[in-house]
Amino acid sequence: MTAMPIADRSPGPEGHPTRRVLVVDGDARVASFLDRSLSAAGYHVERASDGPQALAVFESDPPDLVLLDLMVPGMDGLELARRLRARSGVPIVLLAAGDAVALEHRVAGLDAGADDYLTKPVAIEELLARMRALFRGRALAAAGAIASTRHGVLTFADVRLDLDTREAVRGERRLELRNKTFELLACFLRHPERVLSRRELLEEVWGYEFLGDSNVIEVTVGHVRQALEAGGEPRLIHTIRPVGYILHARVSA
């Protein structure tokens, strides 16, 4: 357990925290720890011990962010993430025990609509930093939408991304890209033929600096590659070890 965190947000005019977090975890000790830590940081915490209860709480009063245990009782955690994502664009952070976070779980979690994931036991300061980053990302997206009603289209080689409709195509084939996979590909399209470091990708797409040994970049890049190459097309996103990645049409796969 870490030291008492500094409040992330100032209380509202009646002394209430300004952001609400739904903690979905069947482990009462973990849920209690998160409740105390997030409350001390200025968040209002709602708790649900299983999937059906989480859906009920979410429907009655949607939170600003969801912390979701991958092994939540009463419903598969990935299915619950998909249901929550279908209802709202609220940030979702998956929590999973260390022995449960195999690569396929991480890919499946991001594909189900999660924005990020952390392993248990949770380092509260890292969790708070990632939450702040997700809120910053939402605020920047909202500010961008207000500043311009038309974002335009990004293109490279035979790839086309419409930033307004969130549609992506390669040639004549539509790409199934959601959440961070779409944003990551958009980032590459904004910086073609340039090596992007993992730190740059984290800052631009996730909104935070490097926070340790996390392979969220590798997982999401792999997911984007699968979408781009599903029709047998040549590779466009290449690994430049040990620096990062580059969007390049002429590098052999």
Side-chain angles (χ1 to χ4, degrees), residues 18-24 38 43-48 53-68 84-85 87-93 131 135 138:
T18 57
R19 295 194 186 276
R20 296 177 58 254
V21 178
L22 174 58
V23 174
V24 187
L38 294 175
Y43 294 98
H44 175 73
V45 179
E46 297 282 349
R47 288 165 58 175
Q53 184 183 10
L55 286 174
V57 172
F58 194 92
E59 292 286 358
S60 64
D61 193 4
D64 296 301
L65 182 141
V66 178
L67 297 179
L68 171 59
L84 296 178
R85 177 57 66 230
R87 289 164 167 76
S88 169
V90 63
I92 300 173
V93 179
M131 289 170 58
F135 287 134
R138 291 300 193 276

Side-chain angles (χ1 to χ4, degrees), residues 137-166:
R138 291 300 193 276
L140 289 172
I146 294 172
S148 174
T149 58
R150 181 68 184 173
H151 296 85
V153 174
L154 298 174
T155 62
F156 181 83
D158 57 348
V159 177
R160 181 178 182 275
L161 264 64
D162 189 314
L163 300 179
D164 296 287
T165 64
R166 305 279 294 185

Side-chain angles (χ1 to χ4, degrees), residues 1 30 33 95-98 118-124 126:
M1 185 177 297
V30 173
F33 165 69
L95 305 177
L118 285 171
T119 57
K120 294 181 177 181
V122 175
I124 193 63
E126 180 179 4

